[in-house]
Amino acid sequence: ELMTGYTMLRNGGVGNGGQPWVLRWSSRIRLTWLSFTLFIILVFFPLIAHYYLTTIDDADDAGKRIFGPRAGNELCEVKHVQDLCRIRESVSEELLQLEAKRQELNSEIAKLNLKIEACKKSIENAKQDLLQLKNVISQTEHSYKELMAQNQPKLSLPIRLLPDKDDVTFPLPKSNRNCRLHNCFDYSRCPLTSGFPVYVYNSDDYPFGSSLDPLIKQAFEATVRTNVYVTENANIACVYIILVGEMQEPIMPKPTELEQQLHSLPYWRTDGHNHLIINLSRKSETQNFIYNISTGRAMIAQSTFYDAQYRPGFDIVVSPLVHAMSEPNFLEIPPQVPVKRKYLFSFQGEKIESLRSSLQEVRSFEEEIEGNAPADYDDRIITTLKAVQDSKLDFVLVEFTCKNQPKASLPTEWALCGERDDRLELLKLSTFALIITPGDTRLVISAGCTMRLFEALEVGAIPVVLGEQVQLPYNDVIRWNEAALIIPKPRITEVHFLLRSISDNDLLAMRRQGRFLWETYFSTSDNVFSTVLAVIRTRIQIPAAPIREEPAVEIPHRSGKAAGTDPNMADNGDLDLGPVETEPPYASPKYLRNFTLTAMDIYRNWNSAPGPFHLFPYTPFDPVLPSEAKFLGSGTGFRPIGGGAGGSGKEFQAALGGNVPREQFTVVMLTYEREEVLMNSLERLNGLPYLNKVVVVWNSPKLPSEDLLWPDIGVPIMVVRTEKNSLNNRFLPWAEIDTEAILSIDDDAHLRHDEIMFGFRVWREARDRIVGFPGRYHAWDIPHQSWLYNSNYSCELSMVLTGAAFFHKYYAYLYSYVMPQAIRDMVDEYINCEDIAMNFLVSHLTRKPPIKVTSRWTFRCPGCPQALSHDDSHFHERHKCINFFVKVYGYMPLLYTQFRVDSVLFKTRLPHDKTKCFKFI
């Protein structure tokens, strides 16, 4: 049974021949087929569909396309499809119309936006104009308050009163010897506002003119033609001048003839008042032929005077005219250092005639002598000087007998020995030069003494004048004790001790002052004539004529391009630089005391500053300023005090600070055919506070491009044309410069506004100095025994380059009109060294070094054309310039300094609510 069951189970539980097993097998086949069919459908059908879909649009025949668009209007054959097509076309037309309207509206919107921008710009301009008007009103009110506080209203010049043609009669003095300005000069012909007109007679129109020395007459006529005071209208003249000497002895007229010719001058007016008789001497033996001539009330200017003839405060002792028609050669003038030379002192001369014999011969003098004859100290002088020479304590050279025939001289006067060149060679080796006055004390000055004085000053030998009664040239306006020693003859035994006791510093100061006196008042015919006129003008208290300013020929240019702001220039951090657009152009005040200074400080006018400051006899930095400085601003002495606002934050930055409440500066920029660089530099000045104007010195003969559009930087830009390409044009005193402060800057110099502002603030505290950024120094080359120019980084400096520096306009006048022409000629020759020349000038005048601000040593100008300073010969030329300038000045005027200036609170820790005065990176 068990076996049977097992068999039945194995056969599927059916016992009728296995039919259920077949059914099971067929069901299995159907499942397999169904699975295979599904596999085919799911795998191959997508592949076939993908193939046809990718090849449908590649058929060339459009009719074979299955899904492509039908040709013609096949899709519109059905009615409702046609309706859809019409709707589509209608919508397309509407869309086109809407697009056209949209474009039209966009165009209108763009136009309206332009109008809005124009309106905004006009509103901004109107605001700026309104702000400027408000500031002008405020400035006017401030000026009015200042005038009311000073109680000094500005007065206009009175109408000039012309002198009467008729002779003015006033009381005659008892004797012509008693003539002084108050009783022998007609002030009515010289009002304060007259300008001091001077009429000069033509000597050739009179017989004595043929007897004049040709060189002196030619030099005098050349000087007269260029003098600003000379007029051809004799009716308005204040002073009348006639040249009567030096006369040539063979054809010299008799005294009576010369007297008649003088009295016959057309404007002599019976007594010669307001006349000046000039007798110039070119030689030491010039005679005093005017002594026996009646000159009435006329003033006399000559080199030889007797006590009975000289009228102090009325007559003038003039220097000899040695260089009649030539300029001094600076290369032949010895240097002022070393201070001590081979000989302590020297003297060469021979006394032709003793005092006693001269008193017997000159009988006209004996009639005027009261008391005994003066003592003759010459014998004692000879004995003492020979003893000093024989003692060998110092090298001295004294000779009382000439090796050759001595020059002709007046009685009791020490005659000159040898030729001029020989005497100069001896003086170049002498520290002091003895000048022994004539033994006759009634001879207050002689041509021989003035010639010795001239030669000593010329070569730097300090004059030692033995005889305190002497009247040196222009003695009432020149402080001679600063350049010479005047010792009474009885002190001859103490002279050696006195000369040995003078320090080297005092010796150098006296030598430098003597060099100035010689250059300014003695050296040329122009200087002699100008000095004579200045003495008379100062005595009668008439202010000097204003110094000439350089007229500018402006080059027309178009402006209007809005200046951008250089991010490097505008990146001042949290620094408020002060009023940028709220300060209208403000010129430095002019002097108001020109007509009173000559009356108040007649002596100080010529001697206000010590030592070398006398290169120009007036300075704008002195509290009391002479009238000659009429061309300058008011200076620190005349400004109201109280400009400093104090503080450390915006209360400091909002005001200029310092002792001058309001002040601006002018930028002077020299350029030469670099228009793109120039435009970029001008744009960087946009928004610079306290900028008055920009003067662009166009140094090229080629005018700027006609299509060049200049930037609008908020202040006037004046382009001036120069006569020639010269670096000296940088320092011309252009009439368009209305401020005392000048920022001289190169067209490729990159300076931030905060740096410029700091330099300006520092300059205002040191107005007599050059204040700038790049520093340089000079050094002594021991192997070659010469000076070198050095631009390396150094712990000390002696120069500041004027390619980025502030200086006073005063120095522009001195550089262009007073500084020796030889220096300007060398600058033109090398096209170099103008900055060195300016540093020499200022250091020579002030005896102070320049001031360097910030840490800048050089300037970078990416993309700028090659500059002159990059040439290999640039430094060699500057070496030559320094050594040449030293020869011209006679010494090295540059001084070293080892510091630079930073602000008071620079790198100072402050509370967070305060900002520093200045901040540099």
Side-chain angles (χ1 to χ4, degrees):
E1 289 180 0
L2 291 171
M3 186 63 115
T4 303
Y6 175 78
T7 304
M8 289 177 64
L9 179 61
R10 185 178 178 185
N11 294 330
V14 180
N16 55 355
Q19 184 177 1
W21 178 85
V22 175
L23 293 174
R24 288 194 298 272
W25 181 80
S26 62
S27 62
R28 290 177 180 174
I29 293 176
R30 286 196 299 270
L31 290 174
T32 301
W33 176 253
L34 180 59
S35 300
F36 179 75
T37 304
L38 290 175
F39 176 77
I40 294 299
I41 292 172
L42 293 176
V43 175
F44 290 95
F45 183 77
L47 295 175
I48 296 171
H50 179 268
Y51 171 76
Y52 278 102
L53 288 175
T54 56
T55 58
I56 284 175
D57 294 334
D58 295 337
D60 296 332
D61 190 358
K64 297 180 180 180
R65 295 179 183 176
I66 300 175
F67 300 102
R70 301 289 181 178
N73 295 325
E74 295 179 1
L75 295 179
C76 296
E77 293 177 355
V78 186
K79 183 177 181 180
H80 66 279
V81 176
Q82 293 177 353
D83 293 338
L84 293 176
C85 291
R86 285 194 297 270
I87 292 173
R88 188 190 69 175
E89 293 176 355
S90 176
V91 171
S92 298
E93 292 179 359
E94 291 179 359
L95 290 175
L96 292 174
Q97 293 177 359
L98 290 175
E99 179 64 22
K101 290 182 178 180
R102 187 184 69 83
Q103 293 180 356
E104 183 178 355
L105 291 175
N106 287 337
S107 178
E108 292 180 359
I109 291 173
K111 293 180 180 179
L112 292 175
N113 287 334
L114 292 177
K115 291 182 179 179
I116 291 173
E117 293 297 329
C119 291
K120 289 181 179 179
K121 188 174 181 180
S122 62
I123 291 173
E124 291 296 328
N125 293 336
K127 289 181 179 179
Q128 295 296 330
D129 294 340
L130 178 61
L131 189 59
Q132 290 181 0
L133 289 176
K134 289 182 179 179
N135 282 281
V136 169
I137 295 174
S138 176
Q139 180 174 302
T140 305
E141 292 177 351
H142 184 72
S143 301
Y144 175 75
K145 291 179 180 179
E146 286 182 352
L147 291 176
M148 294 301 295
Q150 297 172 0
N151 195 20
Q152 292 181 352
K154 293 184 178 180
L155 301 178
S156 300
L157 293 177
I159 299 176
R160 181 181 177 185
L161 301 177
L162 298 178
D164 295 333
K165 294 183 179 180
D166 298 334
D167 188 19
V168 178
T169 58
F170 49 93
L172 292 173
K174 296 181 179 180
S175 171
N176 291 336
R177 290 183 55 187
N178 298 326
C179 262
R180 300 295 185 269
L181 290 175
H182 68 276
N183 58 7
C184 289
F185 190 85
D186 183 7
Y187 280 90
S188 66
R189 302 195 63 86
C190 307
L192 289 177
T193 58
S194 63
F196 191 59
V198 174
Y199 179 79
V200 180
Y201 291 99
N202 186 0
S203 301
D204 293 334
D205 295 340
Y206 306 96
F208 64 84
S210 58
S211 303
L212 295 177
D213 185 300
L215 286 179
I216 288 184
K217 182 168 67 173
Q218 185 179 357
F220 183 79
E221 292 175 351
T223 300
V224 166
R225 286 193 296 267
T226 59
N227 195 276
V228 296
Y229 297 105
V230 174
T231 179
E232 297 181 357
N233 187 358
N235 293 325
I236 65 171
C238 169
V239 176
Y240 301 85
I241 297 178
I242 181 67
L243 178 67
V244 299
E246 180 176 58
M247 294 272 188
Q248 294 176 317
E249 292 187 2
I251 54 177
M252 182 184 299
K254 296 180 180 180
T256 56
E257 296 177 353
L258 180 59
E259 180 177 331
Q260 293 176 357
Q261 295 175 22
L262 290 177
H263 292 181
S264 64
L265 294 175
Y267 304 100
W268 186 261
R269 296 186 177 91
T270 69
D271 58 4
H273 62 269
N274 291 47
H275 275 65
L276 174 65
I277 301 174
I278 297 182
N279 178 23
L280 298 177
S281 59
R282 194 167 60 89
K283 297 175 292 186
S284 62
E285 58 269 22
T286 300
Q287 300 297 318
N288 183 14
F289 60 89
I290 300 181
Y291 177 76
N292 294 321
I293 296 177
S294 174
T295 57
R297 292 179 172 177
M299 296 173 286
I300 300 175
Q302 61 181 9
S303 300
T304 302
F305 278 103
Y306 290 105
D307 184 35
Q309 178 189 16
Y310 180 70
R311 297 164 291 185
F314 194 74
D315 295 325
I316 303 173
V317 179
V318 299
S319 59
L321 191 61
V322 178
H323 301 287
M325 293 300 296
S326 62
E327 294 288 335
N329 187 354
F330 292 100
L331 297 180
E332 297 180 356
I333 299 176
Q336 298 184 26
V337 290
V339 176
K340 294 181 178 179
R341 299 175 177 177
K342 178 180 179 180
Y343 299 111
L344 177 63
F345 61 83
S346 64
F347 177 81
Q348 284 182 326
E350 184 174 343
K351 194 171 183 179
I352 305 300
E353 192 173 1
S354 65
L355 172 63
R356 188 169 302 279
S357 60
S358 66
L359 291 178
Q360 294 175 355
E361 293 183 5
V362 187
R363 299 184 181 277
S364 58
F365 290 166
E366 293 182 353
E367 298 175 358
E368 302 172 0
I369 293 178
E370 296 181 1
N372 298 326
D376 189 358
Y377 289 97
D378 289 356
D379 294 339
R380 187 184 305 175
I381 291 174
I382 295 173
T383 303
T384 303
L385 295 181
K386 283 185 176 181
V388 174
Q389 185 178 22
D390 296 338
S391 67
K392 306 296 184 180
L393 295 176
D394 286 296
F395 286 105
V396 298
L397 192 152
V398 289
E399 295 179 354
F400 301 103
T401 303
C402 296
K403 297 178 181 179
N404 299 320
Q405 182 67 26
K407 304 293 182 181
S409 61
L410 296 175
T412 74
E413 182 185 17
W414 288 92
L416 293 172
C417 296
E419 300 298 328
R420 167 177 159 82
D421 293 339
D422 298 333
R423 296 195 300 270
L424 292 180
E425 290 300 323
L426 175 60
L427 292 175
K428 290 178 182 179
L429 301 175
S430 305
T431 305
F432 296 95
L434 296 185
I435 301 175
I436 305 176
T437 58
D440 187 357
T441 56
R442 294 166 301 178
L443 186 59
V444 294
I445 190 64
S446 65
C449 288
T450 56
M451 184 64 69
R452 289 181 182 272
L453 179 67
F454 180 95
E455 293 177 351
L457 296 176
E458 182 178 6
V459 297
I462 300 174
V464 179
V465 182
L466 297 178
E468 79 284 359
Q469 80 284 355
V470 68
Q471 298 290 332
L472 296 180
Y474 323 117
N475 62 314
D476 55 341
V477 290
I478 292 180
R479 189 177 298 170
W480 278 105
N481 59 358
E482 294 180 354
L485 295 174
I486 304 176
I487 304 174
K489 287 184 177 182
R491 294 190 179 276
I492 183 59
T493 57
E494 302 171 335
V495 168
H496 184 212
F497 167 78
L498 179 62
L499 300 185
R500 286 288 301 272
S501 64
I502 300 177
S503 66
D504 290 354
N505 290 336
D506 292 337
L507 289 177
L508 183 59
M510 296 181 69
R511 183 174 294 165
R512 191 164 52 238
Q513 179 69 3
R515 173 71 174 270
F516 157 75
L517 294 177
W518 179 78
E519 288 183 1
T520 307
Y521 308 124
F522 289 53
S523 58
T524 64
S525 59
D526 287 340
N527 293 339
V528 172
F529 185 67
S530 298
T531 304
V532 170
L533 294 184
V535 170
I536 299 175
R537 180 185 50 74
T538 305
R539 286 175 175 175
I540 63 177
Q541 303 173 3
I542 294 182
I547 194 169
R548 179 175 63 92
E549 289 194 303
E550 193 69 23
V553 179
E554 185 175 3
I555 300 177
H557 60 280
R558 294 188 304 154
S559 61
K561 182 178 68 171
T565 302
D566 190 336
N568 294 326
M569 300 297 108
D571 185 15
N572 299 315
D574 55 357
L575 179 62
D576 181 11
L577 294 181
V580 177
E581 300 172 339
T582 61
E583 186 76 4
Y586 176 75
S588 298
K590 304 299 181 183
Y591 284 112
L592 303 177
R593 299 180 61 193
N594 291 335
F595 294 99
T596 59
L597 277 174
T598 50
M600 296 169 55
D601 302 285
I602 184 172
Y603 190 78
R604 187 180 176 88
N605 281 355
W606 292 66
N607 301 279
S608 59
F613 232 113
H614 284 88
L615 177 68
F616 206 42
Y618 29 82
T619 163
F621 319 113
D622 209 2
V624 181
L625 303 174
S627 59
E628 282 84 345
K630 184 177 181 180
F631 54 84
L632 295 173
S634 64
T636 57
F638 302 115
R639 301 283 184 81
I641 304 300
S648 60
K650 290 189 175 181
E651 65 270 20
F652 174 78
Q653 299 296 341
L656 186 57
N659 298 320
V660 183
R662 291 183 299 163
E663 190 169 18
Q664 294 179 344
F665 62 91
T666 302
V667 168
V668 176
M669 187 177 295
L670 187 72
T671 186
Y672 185 88
E673 296 184 0
R674 300 200 294 184
E675 295 180 353
E676 183 178 357
V677 176
L678 174 64
M679 295 302 108
N680 293 334
S681 296
L682 291 176
E683 288 186 3
R684 287 193 294 270
L685 298 177
N686 184 33
L688 180 60
Y690 305 108
L691 178 59
N692 183 273
K693 70 174 62 171
V694 179
V695 177
V696 177
V697 182
W698 193 264
N699 224 22
S700 171
K702 181 181 177 182
L703 295 179
S705 303
E706 295 182 357
D707 56 347
L708 183 63
L709 193 61
W710 295 69
D712 183 5
I713 61 175
V715 297
I717 297 178
M718 178 166 293
V719 186
V720 296
R721 186 175 184 179
T722 58
E723 297 180 358
K724 64 177 182 178
N725 177 21
S726 172
L727 293 180
N728 293 316
N729 295 331
R730 178 194 298 272
F731 302 124
L732 285 173
W734 302 103
E736 284 69 22
I737 300 177
D738 297 325
T739 61
E740 296 179 9
I742 296 177
L743 172 57
S744 173
I745 189 169
D746 289 337
D747 58 0
D748 57 356
H750 284 216
L751 284 175
R752 299 196 311 268
H753 286 185
D754 61 319
E755 293 175 318
I756 296 177
M757 279 303 305
F758 181 61
F760 182 46
R761 292 179 185 271
V762 172
W763 177 86
R764 296 175 70 250
E765 303 297 330
R767 309 173 72 88
D768 60 337
R769 315 273 283 274
I770 299 178
V771 177
F773 300 88
R776 300 292 185 265
Y777 69 98
H778 67 288
W780 179 251
D781 184 7
I782 297 178
H784 298 89
Q785 294 294 296
S786 63
W787 294 102
L788 295 178
Y789 171 86
N790 203 313
S791 63
N792 297 328
Y793 291 94
S794 173
C795 293
E796 61 182 1
L797 58 93
S798 58
M799 291 175 282
V800 167
L801 299 187
T802 55
F806 285 93
F807 62 89
H808 201 288
K809 187 180 179 182
Y810 174 76
Y811 294 125
Y813 295 97
L814 298 186
Y815 184 97
S816 302
Y817 304 140
V818 178
M819 188 180 69
Q821 181 63 37
I823 297 179
R824 293 190 293 271
D825 292 340
M826 191 167 196
V827 171
D828 288 336
E829 179 183 354
Y830 286 156
I831 316 180
N832 198 344
C833 306
E834 84 287 356
D835 47 358
I836 300 178
M838 177 59 82
N839 277 272
F840 265 70
L841 175 66
V842 177
S843 296
H844 173 68
L845 294 176
T846 63
R847 304 306 302 134
K848 299 176 184 178
I851 297 177
K852 173 176 170 53
V853 293
T854 78
S855 59
R856 281 188 178 270
W857 205 264
T858 58
F859 292 108
R860 296 179 180 178
C861 183
C864 293
Q866 194 80 351
L868 293 175
S869 59
H870 295 161
D871 191 357
D872 293 338
S873 62
H874 176 74
F875 284 93
H876 297 288
E877 293 172 350
R878 294 173 85 81
H879 299 330
K880 295 179 181 178
C881 287
I882 286 185
N883 288 281
F884 178 78
F885 296 165
V886 169
K887 291 182 179 179
V888 173
Y889 282 96
Y891 74 111
M892 168 54 76
L894 297 180
L895 300 173
Y896 292 107
T897 181
Q898 299 178 359
F899 74 97
R900 77 168 193 258
V901 177
D902 290 315
S903 63
V904 176
L905 297 182
F906 181 59
K907 290 187 176 181
T908 301
R909 294 182 179 274
L910 294 175
H912 68 279
D913 59 341
K914 292 287 187 178
T915 58
K916 295 182 180 181
C917 294
F918 289 95
K919 179 180 179 182
F920 293 105
I921 299 176

